[in-house]
Amino acid sequence: MKKFAFIFRLNGASPAVPTAEQLAERLTWLSDLIDNQTVVDRGNTLTSTPARRIDAEGGIEEDVCDDYSFFISGYLVIQAQNIDQAVTIALSNPIYKVGGTIEVREVVQRP
């Protein structure tokens, strides 16, 4: 099995705090993955502010999430046979109902 990171992104129009119904849908989705032993790392939720971006010259930019139409709101690591299976799993997430997206990337295993 390979490991894949799900990088969750929300847009500026997405509610900062999910409704009780949205939270219940997300927890049901996550619980199903945990029950199926698909989740490797439950990850964390990330805030949109405060945020800073540091460039190659050492410049620091504040409130960088305001510059993007989508900001990273969290991540999760799952295991799957291949990226196609990981994408199928990601497609069942309720984030799409609020205009969010999921980036699926294979995790490189270091020796």
Side-chain angles (χ1 to χ4, degrees), residues 1-15:
M1 297 286 260
K2 296 179 178 182
K3 293 180 183 177
F4 295 90
F6 287 179
I7 302 165
F8 300 99
R9 295 178 185 267
L10 291 173
N11 64 31
S14 300

Side-chain angles (χ1 to χ4, degrees), residues 55-75:
D55 64 30
E57 288 80 36
I60 299 171
E61 186 177 350
E62 296 192 34
D63 298 325
V64 296
C65 292
D66 293 340
D67 295 342
Y68 300 118
S69 57
F70 284 90
F71 64 90
I72 297 172
S73 63
Y75 67 94

Side-chain angles (χ1 to χ4, degrees), residues 5-41:
F6 287 179
I7 302 165
F8 300 99
R9 295 178 185 267
L10 291 173
N11 64 31
S14 300
V17 177
T19 66
E21 180 182 327
Q22 291 168 338
L23 186 56
E25 282 183 306
R26 293 174 190 180
L27 291 175
T28 297
W29 179 82
L30 181 59
S31 294
D32 288 346
L33 294 181
I34 291 169
D35 290 346
N36 292 330
Q37 299 181 343
T38 302
V39 175
V40 175
D41 178 346

